[in-house]
């Protein structure tokens, strides 16, 4: 039997993502990933002052505001060869870490955990038994029987009211849901606690950024935070100490809830370490610059081909030729008018030409980026594998902790290979969150020490030359490598291309007809019920697509997660 | 009264940015007293939860799709507002519906709501409202000022408009 399933969620925030799969004998035999909306937002930047580009780019997306702002100022600074004061780098690094920690926690608990956790089943749990289980694996203070009982009552009152609210969108009772009621209850409790905790991370971004949700403190050449440890109105010791307090609270949750929860899910669904590998070329960039030019970084990045960590090639600076020369984009299978020959982003053209959905022709607004001609997976898994290959201790230790915890819960041995999978992407995200949190403490120390040494510089004035210059800014964003490519003429934007993480992962087939990461990852997935394709959502969600929120949304009136069409 | 005026929208998609544009106009033309919070929420989601939590009243301004013709302005109050976002007619439903759902389960849902929504003429790429939508911005601004007065906050008009931020300056 051959079935075609189309999942077509609707959102305006980042653009629609549509996934088509062909199912043969209960398994996915072919997959297509299609971006369903053309934005052309880059066009808005043409002719604008290059110093203002960041303020527009941070409005591109509702989820990733800060990351586009940062990447844009980096691109312009790169074009100008402009150094950035250490204080500015460190303040940016703290924002990078806090934003990513926020993003990773929200992604796991609020945008994807319900693919694995059956909230309704938690109503059947024995809170006492649940507390015993939780306390046997973690020292998190909110695992007690009192807390769990109150969570269960809260859920019950929601169900009784007939309005499930945020829980109305799950595939409850699906045959692929496997956690016992007690574990579902623990997860439900952490879901709610994570709602509180995410605010702490967001507060750090707001304190440093001056405004949320759209930060105000970035500028080409540094940051606008003025530093005076004794003044009331600027960046002072009181604020820095408050940030440290928030960091400590986040530490506790990440170590004692997030890493443990991901291990429990991993141990309970270990077969998912065998699904969803897809493209195992991994691309990641170094992050958290430690000097004014961006030649030393706290966290390494680079490229791994075919999952072989021993062949890791590092990317080492903001000027790195290996990265800059390796990126091209093709529109062979995308709705653009050019002939599809892969182009470097500085030469990129964006001339829309919509046809209909052609299985073997054009079927997406997303272009197909390649690294030296090959598709690459980006995101926390790519980042963690690259950090591990580069010997970053925090990445190695936290990865080992999760693998060991999964192994001991499942009474088996789990090796690094398990990470090349749907489950691996979730585990790597938790590991990256822990690594970022540890590094955030280092960055805080560096900032306080640097200020204490008497350095309060935060800004170097940019000066634009006459004529044309080119710049590239990159950032290891929560969803992976983000790069902005700017061509500037007389201080004004002449061409601008953003190659976003979801472009790498959600890309259609490339110039050589090789499938992109989502498409490759979905092959051979079992689909128990084509009307409720939970297995497909699990793998797509594991990438944290920028449209993840959309895929999980529900129309309560119609009671469905997304439009699922089975042909 | 602890009141938040929250404009939502993507200012890169012309009329979609109506909520943000109304909030900017409010800040440009009126003195905002300390007792009132006015916020440009952009396209954000969960980041807004703490700002909305536990308010006495939240006034939302947003682009909406109701099936009514472009240029239609709608007003909704209190329980009808979360209900509206549950039925997904706002382009930003994801963010806001999530936030309201979450505040509900956390017991932090605001006591009262007002929504001013307008059906857009265009969602095309561009940083300015369409010509036809400018009177809509003015109409919503007048209603907003009146609504604030009903809630006990009388705003005083500025003699000279003050551009509130970089983006506004550039759009002008």
């Amino acid at each position: 039997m051959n079935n075609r399933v189309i999942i077509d969620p609707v959102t305006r925030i980042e653009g629609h993502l549509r996934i088509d799969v062909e199912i043969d004998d209960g398994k996915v035999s072919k997959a297509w990933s299609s971006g369903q909306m053309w934005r052309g937002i880059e066009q808005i930047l043409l002719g604008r002052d290059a110093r203002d580009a960041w303020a527009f780019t941070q409005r591109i997306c509702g989820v990733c505001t800060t990351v586009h702002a940062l990447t844009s100022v980096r691109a312009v600074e790169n074009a100008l060869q402009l150094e950035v004061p250490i204080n500015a780098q460190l303040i940016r690094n703290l924002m990078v870490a806090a934003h990513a920690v926020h993003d990773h926690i929200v992604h796991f608990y609020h945008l994807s955990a319900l693919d694995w956790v059956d909230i309704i089943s938690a109503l059947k749990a024995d809170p006492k038994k649940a507390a015993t289980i939780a306390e046997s694996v973690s020292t998190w203070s909110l695992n007690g029987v009192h807390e769990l009982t109150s969570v269960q009552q809260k859920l019950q009152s929601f169900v009784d009211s007939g309005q499930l609210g945020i829980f109305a969108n799950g595939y409850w009772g699906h045959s692929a849901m496997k956690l016992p009621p007690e574990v579902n209850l623990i997860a439900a409790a952490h879901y709610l606690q994570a709602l509180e905790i995410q605010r702490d991370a967001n507060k750090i971004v707001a304190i440093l950024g001056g405004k949320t949700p759209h930060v105000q403190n970035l500028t080409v050449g540094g940051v606008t935070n003025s530093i005076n440890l004794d003044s009331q109105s600027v960046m002072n010791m009181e604020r820095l100490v408050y940030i440290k307090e928030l960091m400590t609270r986040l530490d506790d949750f990440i170590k004692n809830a997030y890493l443990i929860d991901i291990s429990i899910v991993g141990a309970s669904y270990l077969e998912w370490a065998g699904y969803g590998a897809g493209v195992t070329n991994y691309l990641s960039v170094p992050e958290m610059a430690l000097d004014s030019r961006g030649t030393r970084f706290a966290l390494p990045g680079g490229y791994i081909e075919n999952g072989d960590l021993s062949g890791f090639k590092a990317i080492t600076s903001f000027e790195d030729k290996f990265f800059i020369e390796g990126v091209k984009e093709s529109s062979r299978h995308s709705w653009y008018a050019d002939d599809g020959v892969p182009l470097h982003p500085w030469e990129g053209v964006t001339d829309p030409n919509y046809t209909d959905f052609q299985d073997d022709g054009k079927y997406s607004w997303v272009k197909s980026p390649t690294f030296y001609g090959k598709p690459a997976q980006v995101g926390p898994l790519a980042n963690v594998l690259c950090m591990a290959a580069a010997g970053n201790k925090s990445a190695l230790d936290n990865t080992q902790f999760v693998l060991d915890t999964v192994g001991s819960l499942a009474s088996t041995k789990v090796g690094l290979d398990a990470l090349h999978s749907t489950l691996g992407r979730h585990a790597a995200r938790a590991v990256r969150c822990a690594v970022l949190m540890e590094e955030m403490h280092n960055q805080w120390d560096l900032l306080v020490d640097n200020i204490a040494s008497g350095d309060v510089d935060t800004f170097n004035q940019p000066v634009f030359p006459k004529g044309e210059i080119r710049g590239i800014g990159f950032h290891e964003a929560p969803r992976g490598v983000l790069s902005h490519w700017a061509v500037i003429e007389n201080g004004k934007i002449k061409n601008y291309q953003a190659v976003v993480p979801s472009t790498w992962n959600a890309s259609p087939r490339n110039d050589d007809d090789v499938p992109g990461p989502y498409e490759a990852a979905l092959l051979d997935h079992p689909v128990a019920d084509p009307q409720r394709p939970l297995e497909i959502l699990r793998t797509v969600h594991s990438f944290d697509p920028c449209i993840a929120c959309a895929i999980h949304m529900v129309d309560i009136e119609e009671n469905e997660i997304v439009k699922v069409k089975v042909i | 009264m602890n009141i938040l005026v929250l404009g939502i929208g993507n200012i890169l998609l012309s009329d979609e940015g109506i909520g943000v544009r109304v909030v900017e106009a409010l800040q440009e033309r009126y003195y905002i007293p300390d007792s009132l919070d006015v916020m440009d929420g952009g396209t954000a989601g969960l980041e807004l939860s703490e700002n909305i939590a536990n308010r006495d009243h939240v006034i939302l301004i947003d682009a909406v799709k109701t099936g009514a013709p472009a240029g239609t302005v709608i007003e909704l109050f209190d329980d009808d507002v979360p209900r509206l976002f549950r039925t997904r007619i706002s382009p930003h439903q994801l963010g806001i519906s999530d936030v309201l759902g979450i505040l509900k389960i956390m017991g932090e849902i605001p006591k009262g709501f007002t929504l001013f929504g307008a059906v857009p003429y265009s969602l095309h790429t561009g940083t300015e409202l369409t010509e036809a939508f400018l009177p809509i911005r003015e109409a919503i601004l007048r209603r907003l000022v009146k609504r604030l007065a009903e809630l006990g906050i009388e705003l005083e008009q500025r003699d000279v408009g003050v551009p509130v931020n970089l983006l506004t300056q550039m759009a002008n």
Side-chain angles (χ1 to χ4, degrees), chain A residues 11-12 39 41 44 48 52 56 59 62 154 158 167 196 198-199 202-203 212-214 553-554 557, chain B residues 10 12-13 39-44 47 49-50 65 87-88 91 94 97 105-106 108 123 125 127 170:
Chain A
T11 171
R12 289 238 178 81
R39 301 287 287 268
I41 277 173
I44 279 184
R48 304 243 184 218
D52 301 334
F56 289 92
R59 302 265 177 170
K154 208 178 247 183
F158 251 63
F167 297 132
E196 299 261 7
Q198 57 92 17
R199 289 180 178 173
N202 194 40
K203 255 182 226 160
T212 181
H214 303 289
M553 275 312 296
V554 69
E557 305 304 302
Chain B
N10 190 333
L12 304 185
L13 298 177
M39 195 174 170
D40 156 13
T43 48
E47 292 93 340
S49 78
E50 193 159 18
K65 276 200 138 171
T87 54
R88 314 187 74 196
L94 303 172
S97 77
I105 200 166
M106 293 178 85
E108 298 177 342
L123 298 177
T125 308
T127 54
M170 285 185 285

Side-chain angles (χ1 to χ4, degrees), chain A residues 270-424:
Chain A
L270 204 48
E271 72 275 17
W272 280 87
Y275 293 118
V279 173
T280 55
N281 304 322
Y282 297 103
L283 181 64
S284 151
V285 288
E287 192 45 81
M288 299 210 198
L290 297 173
D291 61 5
S292 59
R293 296 194 70 90
T295 63
R296 288 192 305 118
F297 295 85
L299 302 175
Y303 181 59
I304 292 168
E305 201 160 281
N306 290 325
D308 175 15
L309 271 62
S310 67
F312 169 72
K313 219 174 154 182
I315 292 166
T316 56
S317 83
F318 281 152
E319 313 269 334
D320 193 284
K321 291 248 174 329
F322 174 57
F323 179 77
I324 293 171
E325 289 169 6
V327 179
K328 282 192 176 166
E329 287 190 298
S330 160
S331 60
R332 170 86 56 216
H333 292 280
S334 318
W335 288 310
Y336 298 96
D338 61 289
D339 56 11
V341 172
L343 294 172
H344 190 273
W346 278 324
E347 268 79 45
V349 289
T350 309
D351 187 6
N353 182 28
Y354 181 75
T355 62
D356 48 1
F357 194 107
Q358 306 164 329
D359 285 1
D360 299 312
K362 292 178 179 285
Y363 60 89
S364 180
W365 283 114
V366 175
K367 291 183 189 176
S368 181
T370 49
F371 197 59
Y372 291 99
K374 297 191 170 159
Q377 181 181 152
V378 301
L381 174 57
N383 188 221
V384 164
L385 290 174
C386 287
M387 289 195 286
N392 178 276
K393 188 172 178 318
S394 172
L396 287 166
D397 290 352
N398 281 296
T399 303
Q400 201 53 52
F401 173 79
V402 168
L403 294 176
D404 289 348
T405 311
V406 172
S408 96
L409 288 167
S411 308
T412 178
K413 199 160 166 41
V414 182
L416 200 65
D417 277 358
L419 291 179
H420 304 286
S421 65
T422 293
L423 208 51

Side-chain angles (χ1 to χ4, degrees), chain A residues 177-353:
Chain A
M177 290 287 195
K178 284 192 177 166
L179 298 177
E182 283 71 25
V183 176
N184 283 319
L185 179 58
I186 297 166
H190 293 178
Y191 178 109
L192 297 176
Q193 291 157 12
L195 288 171
E196 299 261 7
I197 290 292
Q198 57 92 17
R199 289 180 178 173
D200 289 340
N202 194 40
K203 255 182 226 160
I204 298 175
V205 179
I207 292 168
L208 296 167
K211 185 176 174 246
T212 181
H214 303 289
V215 299
Q216 274 180 330
N217 70 320
L218 292 176
T219 185
V220 172
V223 293
T224 57
N225 307 71
S226 48
I227 296 175
N228 180 342
L229 290 184
D230 303 320
S231 163
Q232 284 308 303
S233 58
V234 295
M235 176 62 75
N236 57 25
M237 207 56 213
E238 192 186 329
R239 274 177 211 190
L240 286 164
V241 167
Y242 182 50
I243 287 174
K244 188 79 176 173
E245 255 175 60
L246 295 167
M247 285 162 58
T248 308
R249 292 219 290 264
L250 287 160
D251 272 343
D252 187 19
F253 182 80
I254 292 165
K255 284 212 177 76
N256 298 314
Y258 190 5
L259 286 177
I260 305 294
D261 290 344
I262 204 74
S263 302
I264 294 174
V265 167
S268 311
Y269 289 99
L270 204 48
E271 72 275 17
W272 280 87
Y275 293 118
V279 173
T280 55
N281 304 322
Y282 297 103
L283 181 64
S284 151
V285 288
E287 192 45 81
M288 299 210 198
L290 297 173
D291 61 5
S292 59
R293 296 194 70 90
T295 63
R296 288 192 305 118
F297 295 85
L299 302 175
Y303 181 59
I304 292 168
E305 201 160 281
N306 290 325
D308 175 15
L309 271 62
S310 67
F312 169 72
K313 219 174 154 182
I315 292 166
T316 56
S317 83
F318 281 152
E319 313 269 334
D320 193 284
K321 291 248 174 329
F322 174 57
F323 179 77
I324 293 171
E325 289 169 6
V327 179
K328 282 192 176 166
E329 287 190 298
S330 160
S331 60
R332 170 86 56 216
H333 292 280
S334 318
W335 288 310
Y336 298 96
D338 61 289
D339 56 11
V341 172
L343 294 172
H344 190 273
W346 278 324
E347 268 79 45
V349 289
T350 309
D351 187 6
N353 182 28

